[in-house]
Amino acid sequence: MGDLVGPEHLVDRVYEAALDTDLWPGVLERFADMIGGNSAALLWQDQITGAGVGLVARADPALPEQFFGHYARINPLRRPVDVIRRTLRSWTPRIILDEDHLPKEAFVRTEFYNDFFRVFDIHSTMSMGLACEGVTGGTVDIMRPRRRGEFSADDLALCAALQPHFIRAFRLGRKFAASRDLGETMAQILDHAPHGLFILGADGRVRHLNPVAEQLIAENDGLTMVGRRLAATSSQTTRRLDVLIGNAGAADAERRSGGSMALPSPSRRLPLSVMVAPIRSERFSIFGVGPTVVVCVTDLEAGVSLPQQRLRDLFGLSAAESRIALALLEGLDPRRAAERLGVSFYTVRGHLVRIFDKTGTHGQVDLARLMMRTIGVGLG
């Protein structure tokens, strides 16, 4: 792909980052360039407390730790808690500028702007919503210095066009991250995933399917294969699935895109959730050449969740330690984690010392980053 930076090439990269978290910094850099930003961040943040974790591109590595610390508590762009709670109940992915929260003339007089934004050469921000789970939200934020002016209507339009791809890639990344292990090959990652994963060629024929996918096909309960092609129980639903697969495997990079749909399953109360994404062929070279399509099928009634057992297997954590580690990954501080788990703060603090020792990490941010790379939200 070289130095190409057009929207169609960025779309390819976004979906690839879902499978390889090391690609996220490059994706953020390219996106920042297209929107006229000088830096970008992928953030996972508790909207009530402001605590969280994140990955930055072209910014001081210290930015996330400071942002989720003191400055999260004095951020004037965060709304009052009661407003946040009402907003979360009807959350939809939006694109928000800093001036949507506070007029710029008032914002530039705040401590947050002068002691945080100015230090990191930030004047304007554009925040793209990706996901919301409980009170924790995922965003991509583009930062722009004063010398580049404010974001334009064209910038907003381009961001809106790319947002669906970022959302799908983020969700797909969370599914893959739940099965990713240190040192695993792509084939092993696929086969250990708790979701049905199908690797298709541009012709729509299945080249590889993992054990969960094999089980779904064997059940023939909403999804089947006919001549190595995926099919649904009705011709109308099959046509919709064919369109998604065709768009993801298009030879023309400008037409290539991802998508999602619900697949009715006669014996299930809830439908199967299907996500389709385009991936460059070299990411799956062991399965063939040419454009590659990933189809991820989730049984919504199976209760797939972050695996505590994987933390225990990887790092030798106890059941209590793994529960605390996952609570911290969700953005809780030690005191709130203690409240949720029904133990004392001192118990949590004692477990943290052992968690840091077993994982070889040196603090909550370091621990969260390690977890993201192994079982977490795929931020890096």
Side-chain angles (χ1 to χ4, degrees), residues 204-226:
R205 295 182 182 275
V206 176
R207 293 175 177 168
H208 180 83
L209 63 167
N210 72 350
V212 177
E214 291 177 350
Q215 180 62 35
L216 288 170
I217 294 299
E219 291 174 358
N220 193 23
D221 190 12
L223 186 67
T224 187
M225 279 201 304
V226 178

Side-chain angles (χ1 to χ4, degrees), residues 53 66 68-69 91 96 98 117 139 194 199 209 230 281 283 345:
V53 288
Q66 292 194 34
F68 295 125
W91 184 89
I96 301 174
D98 56 86
F117 263 38
T139 62
I199 308 302
L209 63 167
L230 292 177
S281 59
R283 298 297 305 147
F345 166 72

Side-chain angles (χ1 to χ4, degrees), residues 170-231:
F170 186 79
R171 291 174 178 169
L172 185 62
R174 287 177 61 80
K175 295 177 186 295
F176 272 89
S179 60
R180 185 176 288 116
D181 197 349
L182 296 173
E184 286 190 331
T185 66
M186 183 59 68
Q188 289 171 323
I189 290 172
L190 294 174
D191 286 345
H192 292 171
H195 308 267
L197 295 171
F198 300 82
I199 308 302
L200 284 60
D203 59 1
R205 295 182 182 275
V206 176
R207 293 175 177 168
H208 180 83
L209 63 167
N210 72 350
V212 177
E214 291 177 350
Q215 180 62 35
L216 288 170
I217 294 299
E219 291 174 358
N220 193 23
D221 190 12
L223 186 67
T224 187
M225 279 201 304
V226 178
R228 300 299 297 177
R229 295 177 185 274
L230 292 177

Side-chain angles (χ1 to χ4, degrees), residues 46-51 85 135-136 327-328 330-343 345 348:
D46 186 309
Q47 301 302 299
I48 303 296
T49 68
R85 291 191 186 279
V135 298
T136 306
L328 295 178
E330 293 175 15
L332 299 182
D333 60 32
R335 290 192 181 279
R336 293 191 64 210
E339 292 174 3
R340 172 187 289 188
L341 298 173
V343 297
F345 166 72
V348 170

Side-chain angles (χ1 to χ4, degrees), residues 85-269:
R85 291 191 186 279
R86 289 199 300 271
T87 302
L88 291 174
R89 283 196 290 269
S90 58
W91 184 89
T92 56
R94 299 172 57 202
I95 299 170
I96 301 174
L97 302 176
D98 56 86
E99 54 258 45
D100 292 332
H101 291 297
L102 186 68
K104 186 70 76 174
E105 59 270 20
F107 181 42
V108 299
R109 294 195 297 268
T110 65
E111 175 190 351
F112 181 84
Y113 179 89
N114 287 282
D115 291 354
F116 181 73
F117 263 38
R118 288 184 64 185
V119 169
F120 291 103
D121 195 22
I122 304 170
H123 179 69
S124 300
T125 62
M126 177 189 294
S127 182
M128 173 201 291
L130 299 179
C132 182
E133 295 184 4
V135 298
T136 306
T139 62
V140 168
D141 288 20
I142 303 296
M143 284 75 78
R144 177 180 281 187
R146 181 187 288 273
R147 60 184 174 275
R148 294 193 183 178
E150 305 295 336
F151 289 101
S152 68
D154 288 342
D155 295 328
L156 284 166
L158 179 56
C159 191
L162 292 170
Q163 185 179 23
H165 302 292
F166 274 91
I167 290 173
R168 294 187 192 106
F170 186 79
R171 291 174 178 169
L172 185 62
R174 287 177 61 80
K175 295 177 186 295
F176 272 89
S179 60
R180 185 176 288 116
D181 197 349
L182 296 173
E184 286 190 331
T185 66
M186 183 59 68
Q188 289 171 323
I189 290 172
L190 294 174
D191 286 345
H192 292 171
H195 308 267
L197 295 171
F198 300 82
I199 308 302
L200 284 60
D203 59 1
R205 295 182 182 275
V206 176
R207 293 175 177 168
H208 180 83
L209 63 167
N210 72 350
V212 177
E214 291 177 350
Q215 180 62 35
L216 288 170
I217 294 299
E219 291 174 358
N220 193 23
D221 190 12
L223 186 67
T224 187
M225 279 201 304
V226 178
R228 300 299 297 177
R229 295 177 185 274
L230 292 177
T233 52
S234 72
S235 58
Q236 181 179 5
T237 308
T238 298
R239 284 193 295 271
R240 288 183 59 201
L241 182 60
D242 286 343
V243 169
L244 290 181
I245 294 171
N247 288 342
D252 183 353
E254 293 187 5
R255 289 187 52 237
R256 202 152 49 235
S257 65
S260 57
M261 63 179 290
L263 203 64
S265 175
S267 71
R268 293 178 174 88
R269 181 176 56 87

Side-chain angles (χ1 to χ4, degrees), residues 3-113:
D3 296 325
L4 295 173
V5 294
E8 67 276 9
H9 301 289
L10 180 64
V11 167
D12 278 350
R13 274 302 211 189
V14 167
Y15 286 113
E16 291 161 24
L19 309 184
D20 186 348
T21 58
D22 290 337
L23 297 180
W24 271 116
V27 167
L28 294 175
E29 288 183 3
R30 293 188 181 205
F31 186 39
D33 289 340
M34 293 173 60
I35 303 294
N38 65 330
S39 57
L42 181 57
L43 307 175
W44 186 245
Q45 184 178 30
D46 186 309
Q47 301 302 299
I48 303 296
T49 68
V53 288
L55 176 115
V56 296
R58 292 206 190 117
D60 189 324
L63 187 150
E65 192 159 2
Q66 292 194 34
F67 178 69
F68 295 125
H70 169 69
Y71 292 103
R73 294 188 289 274
I74 66 168
N75 184 356
L77 303 181
R78 292 180 62 240
R79 299 182 178 185
V81 171
D82 59 336
V83 175
I84 293 174
R85 291 191 186 279
R86 289 199 300 271
T87 302
L88 291 174
R89 283 196 290 269
S90 58
W91 184 89
T92 56
R94 299 172 57 202
I95 299 170
I96 301 174
L97 302 176
D98 56 86
E99 54 258 45
D100 292 332
H101 291 297
L102 186 68
K104 186 70 76 174
E105 59 270 20
F107 181 42
V108 299
R109 294 195 297 268
T110 65
E111 175 190 351
F112 181 84
Y113 179 89

